[in-house]
Amino acid sequence: MSIYEMFVQMWELDFQMGLFGKAYFQGLVQNGQLKAEDYQKIVGEAYAAPQSQPEQPQA
């Protein structure tokens, strides 16, 4: 078992115990520390990249 796989197992437990929420794991995916398919394994739903906010025109 790789270190990455051990982290995924640990993160599954962390999520189940409520130590970290979905936003935390979304951040890990965005930073390249967690694969999207493992995000789904941890939180139970497919990863969807957050939509960026459109820039507001300045007055």
Side-chain angles (χ1 to χ4, degrees):
M1 176 179 289
S2 71
I3 291 175
Y4 175 79
E5 291 168 327
M6 287 189 283
F7 266 97
V8 171
Q9 285 185 343
M10 181 186 66
W11 287 329
E12 285 181 87
L13 294 172
D14 290 346
F15 182 76
Q16 290 170 5
M17 292 188 300
L19 298 176
F20 297 105
K22 293 177 186 177
Y24 175 79
F25 296 106
Q26 289 171 345
L28 292 178
V29 174
Q30 291 170 1
N31 292 331
Q33 295 174 290
L34 178 64
K35 298 175 187 173
E37 58 267 19
D38 290 324
Y39 173 90
Q40 183 170 1
K41 184 177 177 184
I42 293 169
V43 303
E45 61 186 50
Y47 173 76
Q51 300 294 321
S52 62
Q53 297 294 323
E55 289 187 29
Q56 300 293 324
Q58 295 185 2

